[in-house]
Amino acid sequence: MMQVVQEVRTGRTRVRTIPDPLAGPGQVVVGTTASLISAGTERYVVDLAKKSLVGKARARPDQVRRVLEKVRQEGLLTTFTQVMAKLDEPMPLGYSSSGVVLECGRGVQEFKLATELPAQARMPASSACPGTSVRESRTA
């Protein structure tokens, strides 16, 4: 399955291949028929990723406060390691899609196979290209 991601450290946008999702308990797998990458939300993420580390800090003072609090609680080295790991973690772009249910996990009764529905991907498989699957969390 293909996924559009933003590399936070480098500012590079790319498409990567990820494993097809499986429907866990209370979840459905949705075969995407249409998807949207929001110009406003995603532009903000892309613009932020292209900034220097100082630029990122200036743009997100709320995150700077969280990092400083973490330094006080866990120490500088631990916090630095975690922040660098977070910057190396690609951020999926896109979260709005629609499609049909391909698989229902244990306990799902609200949806049946081939049910058409909108999906807001909150799982790692967001930004799927049309014709692929999006793992959508639903309460059974």
Side-chain angles (χ1 to χ4, degrees):
M1 175 165 82
M2 308 303 287
Q3 180 183 56
V4 180
V5 295
Q6 181 68 45
E7 293 181 359
V8 180
R9 184 186 294 269
T10 66
R12 183 173 160 236
T13 304
R14 66 182 175 90
V15 177
R16 69 179 179 175
T17 302
I18 60 173
D20 287 341
L22 300 173
Q27 298 176 331
V28 299
V29 173
V30 177
T32 305
T33 56
S35 63
L36 170 74
I37 293 181
S38 166
T41 304
E42 270 63 53
R43 181 179 15 230
Y44 173 78
V45 171
V46 170
D47 289 347
L48 181 65
K50 290 181 179 178
K51 294 177 188 268
S52 67
L53 194 54
V54 171
K56 287 175 175 70
R58 285 186 179 150
R60 297 293 310 270
D62 57 317
Q63 293 295 323
V64 172
R65 282 190 292 279
R66 287 183 59 201
V67 168
L68 293 175
E69 181 60 30
K70 193 168 195 64
V71 168
R72 282 192 283 279
Q73 292 176 355
E74 299 180 27
L76 182 60
L77 184 59
T78 300
T79 302
F80 177 79
T81 302
Q82 291 175 359
V83 168
M84 291 300 110
K86 188 73 172 167
L87 288 173
D88 286 335
E89 192 177 293
M91 181 181 296
L93 296 178
Y95 52 86
S96 297
S97 64
S98 63
V100 296
V101 175
L102 299 177
E103 179 185 354
C104 295
R106 185 174 38 82
V108 173
Q109 296 184 11
E110 182 180 353
F111 302 104
K112 303 294 179 213
L113 293 180
T115 301
E116 294 180 347
L117 59 107
Q120 181 177 6
R122 294 180 302 274
M123 303 303 283
S126 63
S127 307
C129 296
T132 61
S133 303
V134 172
R135 182 175 172 185
E136 174 64 17
S137 178
R138 297 283 180 166
T139 304

